[in-house]
Amino acid sequence: MTEETTSPAATGRPKRAGDDRSAGRGDDVPPGAAVLEIARLITATADNLCIIRGISPRGAIIQTSRALDRGEKVALEVRSGELIDGTVSATFPVGSSIWFDKPAEVTALLGGARPAGSRGRPRLPRLARNAPVTVESGDLRLDGTIRNISMAGACIELTQPEDVPALGRVTVAIDGLAAVPAMVKWLKGGRIGIKFDRPAGFEDLAAWLSVTPAPTASSSTANETGDRAVPRPRRTAGARPDGSAR
C-alpha cells in the first residue's frame, strides 16, 4: 500500500496518494494529525482491529480489514480504554473516515493514560473470541480455548488446568494462526495469560478475527474483554467500558 503524508500544519489533515476533493472525500475527511495507532473497531454486529492513521477532536481516518458503509454507526476503543462513538462519513480503498459524535480529547486518547478511577495500565485492545489452542512446554502439551486476544498476547482457558505446572516459556498454536513462542505472565484458576515474543501482524490477526466466532450473549465468556459479545456502539463519546479480563 502506497502512502504519503504531508505536514498537518500545512494542510490541516493527513494526505495520501489520490487524496483530493475530486476523489469524493473533500470535507468528509476529518482534519487532524497523522498517527499510527492500533484500535478496536466496533460495529453493530462485530468487532475487529483497525489502524488510526489520522485523528483530530472531530474525527479520524482509519484503515480497516473490511469495507464499511457510509452512514454506518461505529465506535473506536483506543489504548487508554476509552470508547469513542462516531459515524462513517466517507469510504475509500485504504479505509474510512469517521466523524465523532462528540469532540474527543486527542492528546489524552493517544497518550495512553487511563481515565481517572480506572484500573490497570494502557494496553492494546483485546477482542473476545472462541478458538481452539494448544500450549506446549517441553514434553507437556495442553489443550485449551482462546478467550480474548490482542496483538500482544492472549488469555487462554485450559481444558485440564489441574495438569498445569509453573509454566514459563511456551509455544502457542492457535487454530488458524501460525504457532508462536510466548511467555506465561500469569496463572489464575484454569486460565493463563500469555505475552507473544513478537506482536502479531495486524493484517494476519485482523483476517483471523473476521472469521473466528466471538462468544454469544449467553456464553460465560461473553464479557471477557469488558464489552458485549455482539457490540452495539451506543455509549457516549469518551465513555469507557466496564472492567476487563487481565
Side-chain angles (χ1 to χ4, degrees):
M1 178 171 57
T2 302
E3 177 179 283
E4 60 183 36
T5 59
T6 59
S7 168
T11 65
R13 63 181 174 87
K15 181 169 181 171
R16 293 170 179 78
D19 181 8
D20 54 39
R21 293 179 184 271
S22 64
R25 286 190 257 175
D27 292 335
D28 291 330
V29 180
V35 296
L36 286 175
E37 176 79 4
I38 300 297
R40 177 178 172 226
L41 173 68
I42 306 169
T43 68
T45 58
D47 64 345
N48 207 319
L49 295 175
C50 70
I51 300 177
I52 300 176
R53 292 191 170 272
I55 192 168
S56 78
R58 294 191 295 163
I61 297 173
I62 63 172
Q63 175 185 334
T64 60
S65 60
R66 75 167 182 87
L68 298 175
D69 296 323
R70 185 165 183 168
E72 185 174 357
K73 297 294 294 182
V74 299
L76 297 176
E77 180 187 342
V78 293
R79 188 184 296 262
S80 65
E82 299 278 347
L83 276 180
I84 314 166
D85 290 340
T87 303
V88 178
S89 60
T91 62
F92 36 94
V94 296
S96 301
S97 61
I98 310 296
W99 281 107
F100 298 151
D101 290 353
K102 296 182 179 180
E105 297 181 6
V106 174
T107 302
L109 293 175
L110 299 184
R114 281 189 175 269
S118 63
R119 296 180 299 174
R121 294 174 297 177
R123 65 186 185 192
L124 290 170
R126 301 183 183 188
L127 296 89
R129 289 294 187 272
N130 281 339
V133 60
T134 300
V135 180
E136 296 185 1
S137 178
D139 295 332
L140 182 65
R141 177 188 172 99
L142 300 171
D143 295 324
T145 303
I146 288 288
R147 291 312 183 194
N148 66 57
I149 190 169
S150 73
M151 289 177 63
C155 173
I156 299 172
E157 184 169 359
L158 297 170
T159 304
Q160 296 179 300
E162 63 274 10
D163 294 336
V164 180
L167 295 176
R169 297 203 57 79
V170 296
T171 298
V172 179
I174 301 170
D175 189 36
L177 291 173
V180 294
M183 173 68 74
V184 176
K185 304 297 290 186
W186 54 263
L187 170 62
K188 183 177 181 180
R191 297 186 179 187
I192 59 173
I194 62 166
K195 180 180 180 181
F196 303 139
D197 283 6
R198 299 181 62 182
F202 169 79
E203 293 184 357
D204 289 342
L205 184 55
W208 180 86
L209 288 165
S210 68
V211 297
T212 303
T216 61
S218 60
S219 170
S220 61
T221 61
N223 257 351
E224 285 304 309
T225 62
D227 266 295
R228 297 167 287 250
V230 179
R232 301 186 185 279
R234 294 176 180 172
R235 292 193 179 92
T236 58
R240 62 179 183 272
D242 296 332
S244 57
R246 293 190 58 76

